[in-house]
Every structure is written in C-alpha cells, then in structure tokens.
Amino acid sequence: MIEEFLGVFHNLKDYIKRNKFVVSLILGVYLLVNINISLAEYPYIDDIGRQVLGYTGFSEHYSRYLSEFSARLIQGGTHLTDPGLTTNIISAFILTFASTILLFVLFPSKKVTPVLALASTVIGINPWFLEPLSFRFDNSFMSLSILVSILPFIFWESRKLFSICSVVCIYLMCNSYQASSGIYILMTLTLLFLEVVYSGKLNIKSLVCSILSYVGGMVLYKIQITIKPPIFADQGSIPSLLHLPSIMLANAKGYLKNIYLQSTKVWILLFLVILILLVFNIISSSKQKKIVALAFTFAWLALGSILSYGSYLILSEQFYLLRPRYEYGLGVFSSIVLVVSLGITNRNKIINVLKSVFSSLLIFYFLAFSFIYVSNLKQQNNTFEV
C-alpha cells in the first residue's frame, strides 16, 4: 500500500512538472481574484465580530474543528486579528491544488491546454463561491473543504487507499465547510460515467466503496456533533423518513430554480450550447450504442445537478434561499462539465474549436463577474462605513 501511495504522488509530481505553465496560469487566476476580493477590505458578516473581539467560534458555533485548528495555526494563537491578504493568498494556493487534482484525476495522460486549465478554475471563481472567498477570516477553510472533497480520487485505482482517504477527507470536509458535501458525489458520478461510456463497464465495486466511505465519514461527523453539539445544531435538522422524499424533491426543485433565476441569460445560453456540444462529443466518441451513451449522459447531468446540493438536499431548512454560498456545488459541477467537455477530443476539428470558443466565453464572463463583485464589495464597504 505504501508503494501505491508513493507511486500516485510520483505520478502527480510528474504531471505538475509536465504542465507547470498551465498550473502557473491557474494560480495566477486565483491570485488575481482572491487578492482583489481581499483588497476590498469589506468585513463580511461574521468578520465584524471577529475583528472587534478576536474570537474564532468555528468549533463552538458550527462544529468545524478543522477550521478552528487552521485558524489558530495561521494566527499563531487563539485571538484572531484581521489577516489582510494572508487567507486569500492561502485560498489561491489551495484552489490551485484542487483544480490541478481535478485535471489529473479526469485526464491524467492528457496535455493540458490553457482553455482546459482555465475551465478548472471555475471551481473557485464561479459566482456562488465568491461569497465564501469574501470572508476575511475563514475563506481559506471553505476552499480547503473543496480540496479535501477531491483529494481522495487520486487513489481511485487503489481501493484500500481510496477508502481510507475518502472516510478521512469526508470527515475533514464536514469539519471545514459542509456546503462542499456534494463534490465527492460529483467526482464519483463523473468517474463512473466516463468509465461506463468509454470502457463499457460499470464499476460496481468502486461505486459501493464510494458510498460506504461517504457514509462512514458522515457517521463519524454525526458522532462528533452528538457528543458535543454546536450552538447552531438546530440548522441541521433532518425530517422524518415519511417526509424525506417530499423534502428532497422540494429542495431539488427550489435549488435549481433559484440558481436559474440568479443567472444571467448569457450564462445559461452559453452553458446550453456547451452541453449540446458535450452530448454530441460523447455520442460520437463513445464505445456504447448512441442511445445508451445519450441515456448515460443525461443521467449523469441530471443526477450531478441535483446531488451537487449535497447533504443540504435532505435538510428541512431551505438553505438555497438563505445565501448564495450554499449553492456553489452546482458551480463546481459546471467546472467538471467544462473540463469533461474540453478534455474529450473530437475528430471533428470544428467541434473542438466551438467547444473552446464557447467555454472561453463562459469562463471570461465568470471572471469578469468576479471583478464586478469586487467593485460592489467596495461600494458596500463605503456605505457600511458611512
């Protein structure tokens, strides 16, 4: 097992060396967005209390012990002071590692193009994740929750390593930010989808292993909050089994509808075009019959869209109506879809060009939106001070 562990990291190291330019490009994008958000110097919600009193509260309020430990490590003590650019720069590096792992896991042998690299940055620059990046004290812990959700999949080929890492990482995700609870599911669905479409076999063992590992990590976290309940434990109330189906259906419909209403028409139109090109690409390159490949593609897209909401899907509280940050799971799934679309090369050069053009436009609009968001934060800060 140790040899497998070292082998995976050796492959990852070689992958980063081969693609050092695009990894630098990914880091550059994340630094650009994060530093601009930090320079707005807007105290976002909980930031105000922490600036004034210096408390952490991550474990006491929300049972996020990884956030608590990380905060003390960054600050060098229990009393918090405004970190300035520090946490956002840390977030940029964490998200760069998450994007790199995403590319490595989905297309380990493919030479990464600049457009494909930029598609992976949608994980962290999608409009719904900009709010987590705005928290001056804990943005890096929210970014960390994305990384630990993706990290286990570097061991996808080694069932023991994957299982152990998955249980640990799901538990750590819950202890950093639970809004990332759908990302592990998305990665599992995507890898199984690509395997069944291009190898013709559904990897049942990996599916069962992923489910058990996910449940195992969640159970560990449930034990933790049962032993020492956080102050806001009532926010995580689960309905009875009788009402669970209706709650899940209402949450799924409300979640997707809310994101649709929050999105501009140009985002929606571009994404629809990308989806059409993706479907055509998969059908024309799959080893499955066209109708079977089409069915699997629609199933992947439908399940991924719904399950990107993660554990919030089964909760009574309608989190999607509270804040945009509870919805960034679909933003991460958008990044995965873009990476899959660009990563699968079509024999038709026109299709490849169209994919790159429309994907680049969507990435540009998301990047531009992040700068518009920063401008609004600055205006909001001026109003707050007045």
Side-chain angles (χ1 to χ4, degrees), residues 2-14 104 153-158 161:
I2 295 175
E3 289 181 359
E4 287 180 312
F5 181 86
L6 293 174
V8 168
F9 275 92
H10 178 72
N11 292 336
L12 179 58
K13 182 180 176 182
D14 286 346
F104 172 72
F153 293 93
I154 64 175
F155 303 114
W156 180 253
E157 301 297 331
S158 174
L161 280 172

Side-chain angles (χ1 to χ4, degrees), residues 156 159 162-163 184 188-189 191-193 195-197 199-213 296:
W156 180 253
R159 199 159 288 121
F162 176 68
S163 299
Y184 181 91
T188 301
L189 283 174
L191 285 170
L192 290 172
F193 165 71
E195 285 181 4
V196 77
V197 167
S199 69
K201 295 180 181 179
L202 178 60
N203 196 333
I204 299 295
K205 289 183 179 180
S206 293
L207 174 60
V208 173
C209 182
S210 297
I211 293 171
L212 292 177
S213 300
F296 276 120

Side-chain angles (χ1 to χ4, degrees), residues 5 17 201 249 257 271 352 371:
F5 181 86
K17 281 184 178 179
K201 295 180 181 179
L249 181 62
K257 181 181 178 181
F271 199 68
N352 292 329
F371 299 138

Side-chain angles (χ1 to χ4, degrees), residues 71-259:
R72 295 184 182 192
L73 182 65
I74 291 171
Q75 294 282 345
T78 58
H79 184 87
L80 301 186
T81 55
D82 193 310
L85 292 173
T86 307
T87 52
N88 280 102
I89 290 175
I90 293 171
S91 280
F93 279 92
I94 290 172
L95 290 170
T96 298
F97 196 32
S99 290
T100 304
I101 290 176
L102 174 67
L103 295 170
F104 172 72
V105 168
L106 294 182
F107 300 102
S109 58
K110 186 179 179 64
K111 178 69 176 177
V112 181
T113 64
V115 179
L116 182 58
L118 290 172
S120 72
T121 65
V122 175
I123 284 178
I125 66 166
N126 71 79
W128 297 273
F129 195 67
L130 294 178
E131 186 183 7
L133 292 178
S134 304
F135 286 92
R136 296 184 64 76
F137 289 88
D138 46 335
N139 63 79
S140 52
F141 318 138
M142 296 176 179
S143 300
L144 189 60
S145 70
I146 293 179
L147 174 60
V148 294
S149 298
I150 298 174
L151 187 61
F153 293 93
I154 64 175
F155 303 114
W156 180 253
E157 301 297 331
S158 174
R159 199 159 288 121
K160 284 185 180 180
L161 280 172
F162 176 68
S163 299
I164 294 169
C165 188
S166 292
V167 173
V168 172
C169 284
I170 291 300
Y171 179 66
L172 292 176
M173 176 274 298
C174 291
N175 273 277
S176 49
Y177 201 58
Q178 298 90 348
S180 293
S181 55
I183 298 173
Y184 181 91
I185 301 172
L186 296 177
M187 291 297 295
T188 301
L189 283 174
T190 303
L191 285 170
L192 290 172
F193 165 71
L194 291 174
E195 285 181 4
V196 77
V197 167
Y198 289 103
S199 69
K201 295 180 181 179
L202 178 60
N203 196 333
I204 299 295
K205 289 183 179 180
S206 293
L207 174 60
V208 173
C209 182
S210 297
I211 293 171
L212 292 177
S213 300
Y214 187 85
V215 172
M218 286 293 186
V219 168
L220 285 177
Y221 184 67
K222 177 64 176 176
I223 292 170
Q224 174 184 302
I225 61 176
T226 301
I227 294 172
K228 192 172 182 181
I231 292 173
F232 299 114
D234 57 321
Q235 291 182 343
S237 62
I238 301 173
S240 63
L241 288 175
L242 183 65
H243 295 99
L244 190 58
S246 60
I247 291 292
M248 289 177 67
L249 181 62
N251 278 335
K253 288 172 63 178
Y255 168 62
L256 295 176
K257 181 181 178 181
N258 205 46
I259 288 180

